[in-house]
Amino acid sequence: MAHIYIYSPSGAVRDRAAFRRGVKRLESLGHEVEVDPSALDSWQRFAGDDATRLAAIGRAAASGADVALTSRGGFGLTRLLPDLPYRQIAKSIDKGTEFVGFSDFTAFQLALLAKTGKISWSGPALCEGFGPLGSSDDASLKGKAEASGAGQDGPDEIMLACFDDLIHGVGEGTGWRLPADSAKLGLEGLQARHAPLWGGNLAVLVSLLGTPYFPQIKKGVLFLEDVGEHPYRIERMLSQLLLSGVLAQQQAIVLGQFTDYSLSSHDKGYSLAKVVEWLRGKLKIPVLTGLPFGHVPTKVLLPVGLHVELLVENREALLLWGHIHKH
Amino acid sequence: MAHIYIYSPSGAVRDRAAFRRGVKRLESLGHEVEVDPSALDSWQRFAGDDATRLAAIGRAAASGADVALTSRGGFGLTRLLPDLPYRQIAKSIDKGTEFVGFSDFTAFQLALLAKTGKISWSGPALCEGFGPLGSSDDASLKGKAEASGAGQDGPDEIMLACFDDLIHGVGEGTGWRLPADSAKLGLEGLQARHAPLWGGNLAVLVSLLGTPYFPQIKKGVLFLEDVGEHPYRIERMLSQLLLSGVLAQQQAIVLGQFTDYSLSSHDKGYSLAKVVEWLRGKLKIPVLTGLPFGHVPTKVLLPVGLHVELLVENREALLLWGHIHKH
């Protein structure tokens, strides 16, 4: 079906069993999977030193694959930004390669958008997206995860369907049900049109502010997610976007999933919901929540840089980008 | 000796015993301590809601005190920045009030510098600086800390001496011994002159980048510290300062103490030292380490916004600002 190139631009792959399961699963879906020679390299916490990872990105761009999929996130792209082969990546996108990833990959996506205007996809990475152990996996796919009893449900069905849409070039948008607390916000009938969709991991996105790798997007729809960040840190990051004027320049903010943090006894009622409430009080534009995107299995694929429509009808939010013609 | 005004612009004070010990200790040093009426307020994780803390800052500025000292850091100043009474604070500084604090207080200090050019002091906060239990404390000063056996040495002597210098207006600079690994860096003979000293907590400082509260300082000496941040986060924050051009515009970077983080098995040799090495490779200006400043007891006081000289002689670094005339 599709030629999928797996490479590692960020953190070293430690869970090799998940990596192998991910590759086999893509193959069992009928895809031709090509694994970059340094995909499993390890140097400090990175998947190879900076030159190694830059070369891997270059090979992904030169692969002629339909999809260039990161093995995982982690950390490592920020330090590569000045040296990314932007022109080569842009050319490969023009020829039909879709770059897919998330988390640390946000740095790649936003820098690419800032430097070339090219579209990439926020979506799964190989290990976390396609690597989860499934109950029907045969013995060859089972690794350490089995012993720990982790993830017996395999890859998420919604993510798989969105990925399939991307492969076939038939995705026309995505939708989700807004949380109950959205009812009183007067979002019904909301229409944002011709809005560049952009965003990704909040911490990574904010870490580009003030640098040449932060895209200057006006009247966009900005989506954000994060993992392992206490709400006060989320507030501090949102503050930076607020005080820099970035948020007010958008048509809407869409919050995805913020997961894996712990409140403490010191918080005394302070919470992520309070942060969202605070943010809404500071902005005239709508702040939607509940987008199925983040460090969670159920994750839609989102085209960073593409113009979209955002509509709210009967508590359903719709993000529409129409048919994307394949090359 | 001095009139010291204690107020809480950031997080709620939870360790009231440390607060009381701090007040008593300042009094035993001969100072007149005035405690703001909302210094012990609590709302969510903050020392009162936003209006309460803004009012407290206004009272500190109106107090006519020699020193306005924060009770503690935490989090809470970022969201107040658009509403701080900058003119009133600047006026009180002109009349002789020195504002002292650190950590979250970095937001106050840098915004003040950006908006008014006025000098404030990075130094202790009441609870952590003057609140530690000492072995000679009488029963009335002993609280919960005794049961836990924490901090039996009382306030740090060097911090106390620096604070005393500030009170008497006799401080003319500070110095520290560079770590052994600095020997091969060719720092000997380094002279930075007429350099605005600025900095503070790295995470807080970086969170102002791209906003109107980030001071535009050229040819300065930038000092940084942080607590509870993994080296990869420190790298990501330093990257932001690097890629935004802020670092290269300075005469020198001075790193204080980075404490309370844990490396994991995933790091495999990645460390804070590697981050510093990476940074040095990206910069032509010197990066000094070992400044006694951060979330540690032994902490010097540093005038944010004042022009300084930075000298290195025989592995000793000297940061000199000459005599500051008291009003």
Side-chain angles (χ1 to χ4, degrees):
Chain A
M1 310 236 292
H3 172 192
I4 299 175
Y5 195 89
I6 307 294
Y7 68 115
S8 300
S10 302
V13 172
R14 303 290 180 216
D15 187 350
R16 290 183 175 222
F19 184 94
R20 280 193 302 270
R21 282 194 301 271
V23 170
K24 290 211 173 180
R25 205 161 264 128
L26 286 171
E27 286 172 344
S28 72
L29 290 167
H31 302 305
E32 178 204 337
V33 180
E34 187 179 1
V35 175
D36 183 80
S38 63
L40 293 173
D41 272 21
S42 174
W43 177 75
Q44 294 178 5
R45 57 184 291 122
F46 308 103
D49 63 16
D50 294 3
T52 298
R53 284 174 292 122
L54 280 169
I57 292 167
R59 286 189 296 268
S63 67
D66 301 299
V67 172
L69 183 67
T70 65
S71 63
R72 58 161 303 214
F75 173 70
L77 271 161
T78 319
R79 49 158 73 190
L80 302 184
L81 294 184
D83 302 313
L84 285 188
Y86 292 102
R87 238 193 307 173
Q88 192 192 354
I89 298 165
K91 231 165 115 181
S92 72
I93 291 172
D94 286 342
K95 287 186 181 167
T97 300
E98 310 281 10
F99 284 79
V100 182
F102 81 122
S103 199
D104 191 51
F105 195 62
T106 300
F108 176 104
Q109 298 184 273
L110 295 182
L112 181 70
L113 186 59
K115 292 291 177 190
T116 73
K118 295 295 172 188
I119 291 153
S120 62
W121 291 81
S122 289
L126 179 76
C127 292
E128 60 82 42
F130 298 93
L133 196 66
S135 51
S136 65
D137 285 333
D138 64 29
S140 70
L141 280 174
K142 295 192 179 181
K144 282 182 194 164
E146 191 185 25
S148 72
Q152 290 286 335
D153 296 328
D156 179 73
E157 292 299 328
I158 289 172
M159 182 280 288
L160 284 178
C162 292
F163 191 75
D164 208 49
D165 282 354
L166 172 64
I167 296 281
H168 291 94
V170 297
E172 299 195 350
T174 193
W176 73 100
R177 193 160 175 75
L178 294 169
D181 69 350
S182 303
K184 58 184 186 298
L185 297 173
L187 296 171
E188 176 63 31
L190 169 72
Q191 298 192 349
R193 298 196 184 276
H194 204 68
L197 179 66
W198 67 301
N201 180 266
L202 175 59
V204 174
L205 180 139
V206 160
S207 79
L208 302 180
L209 204 60
T211 80
Y213 309 102
F214 191 83
Q216 304 298 316
I217 308 284
K218 316 271 185 211
K219 297 190 181 299
V221 168
L222 174 64
F223 70 94
L224 300 166
E225 64 84 24
D226 219 324
V227 61
E229 301 287 354
H230 187 285
Y232 91 82
R233 287 174 177 266
I234 294 168
E235 180 189 320
R236 195 165 60 192
M237 294 189 277
L238 291 170
S239 275
Q240 189 169 6
L241 292 174
L242 178 72
L243 298 178
S244 64
V246 170
L247 297 187
Q249 289 168 352
Q250 310 307 316
Q251 292 194 58
I253 312 300
V254 178
L255 300 179
Q257 307 303 307
F258 290 80
T259 49
D260 288 339
Y261 60 83
S262 300
L263 296 173
S264 79
S265 62
H266 176 49
D267 289 305
K268 291 201 188 297
Y270 183 80
S271 64
L272 185 61
K274 295 288 185 203
V275 172
V276 175
E277 190 183 311
W278 163 83
L279 184 66
R280 284 182 171 138
K282 298 289 176 187
L283 286 171
K284 285 175 188 143
I285 60 166
V287 178
L288 282 66
T289 55
L291 175 73
F293 187 77
H295 285 69
V296 291
T298 302
K299 194 167 27 234
V300 296
L301 272 75
L302 298 166
V304 171
L306 198 64
H307 283 69
V308 299
E309 275 185 62
L310 174 65
L311 307 173
V312 174
E313 292 170 0
N314 300 321
R315 258 187 70 193
E316 296 292 325
L318 288 167
L319 210 44
L320 305 174
W321 49 83
H323 184 66
I324 299 175
H325 295 280
K326 293 295 287 181
H327 309 269
Chain B
M1 309 237 292
H3 172 193
I4 299 175
Y5 194 89
I6 307 294
Y7 68 114
S8 299
S10 301
V13 172
R14 303 288 181 217
D15 187 349
R16 290 182 176 223
F19 183 94
R20 280 193 301 271
R21 281 194 302 271
V23 170
K24 289 210 173 181
R25 205 162 264 128
L26 286 172
E27 286 172 344
S28 72
L29 290 166
H31 302 305
E32 177 204 338
V33 180
E34 186 179 1
V35 174
D36 183 81
S38 62
L40 293 173
D41 272 21
S42 175
W43 177 76
Q44 295 177 1
R45 58 184 292 122
F46 308 104
D49 63 16
D50 294 2
T52 298
R53 284 174 293 123
L54 280 169
I57 292 167
R59 285 190 295 270
S63 67
D66 300 300
V67 172
L69 182 68
T70 65
S71 63
R72 57 161 302 213
F75 173 70
L77 271 161
T78 318
R79 47 158 73 191
L80 302 184
L81 294 184
D83 302 313
L84 284 188
Y86 293 101
R87 240 195 304 174
Q88 191 193 356
I89 298 165
K91 231 165 115 181
S92 72
I93 292 172
D94 286 342
K95 287 185 183 170
T97 300
E98 310 281 11
F99 284 79
V100 181
F102 81 122
S103 199
D104 191 52
F105 194 62
T106 300
F108 176 104
Q109 297 184 273
L110 295 182
L112 181 71
L113 186 59
K115 292 290 176 191
T116 73
K118 294 297 173 189
I119 291 152
S120 62
W121 291 80
S122 289
L126 178 77
C127 292
E128 60 81 41
F130 298 94
L133 196 66
S135 51
S136 66
D137 285 333
D138 65 28
S140 70
L141 279 174
K142 294 192 180 181
K144 283 183 193 164
E146 191 185 25
S148 72
Q152 291 285 335
D153 296 328
D156 178 73
E157 291 299 328
I158 290 173
M159 182 281 289
L160 284 178
C162 292
F163 190 76
D164 207 50
D165 282 353
L166 172 65
I167 296 281
H168 291 94
V170 298
E172 300 195 350
T174 192
W176 73 101
R177 194 159 174 76
L178 293 169
D181 69 350
S182 304
K184 59 185 186 299
L185 297 173
L187 296 171
E188 176 64 31
L190 169 72
Q191 298 192 349
R193 297 195 184 277
H194 205 67
L197 179 66
W198 67 301
N201 180 267
L202 175 58
V204 174
L205 180 138
V206 160
S207 79
L208 301 180
L209 203 60
T211 80
Y213 309 102
F214 191 83
Q216 303 299 316
I217 308 284
K218 316 271 185 209
K219 296 190 181 299
V221 168
L222 174 63
F223 70 94
L224 300 166
E225 63 85 22
D226 218 323
V227 62
E229 302 286 355
H230 187 284
Y232 91 82
R233 287 173 176 268
I234 294 168
E235 180 190 319
R236 195 165 61 192
M237 294 189 277
L238 291 171
S239 275
Q240 190 170 7
L241 292 173
L242 178 72
L243 298 178
S244 64
V246 170
L247 297 187
Q249 288 168 353
Q250 310 307 316
Q251 293 193 58
I253 312 299
V254 178
L255 301 180
Q257 307 303 307
F258 291 79
T259 49
D260 289 340
Y261 60 83
S262 300
L263 295 174
S264 78
S265 62
H266 177 49
D267 288 305
K268 292 200 188 296
Y270 183 81
S271 64
L272 185 62
K274 295 288 184 202
V275 172
V276 175
E277 191 183 310
W278 163 83
L279 183 67
R280 283 180 172 140
K282 300 287 175 188
L283 285 171
K284 286 175 187 144
I285 60 166
V287 178
L288 282 66
T289 55
L291 175 73
F293 187 77
H295 285 69
V296 290
T298 302
K299 192 165 32 233
V300 296
L301 272 75
L302 298 165
V304 170
L306 199 63
H307 283 68
V308 300
E309 274 184 64
L310 174 65
L311 308 172
V312 175
E313 292 169 1
N314 299 321
R315 259 188 68 192
E316 297 292 325
L318 289 167
L319 210 44
L320 305 174
W321 49 82
H323 184 66
I324 300 175
H325 294 281
K326 293 295 287 180
H327 308 271

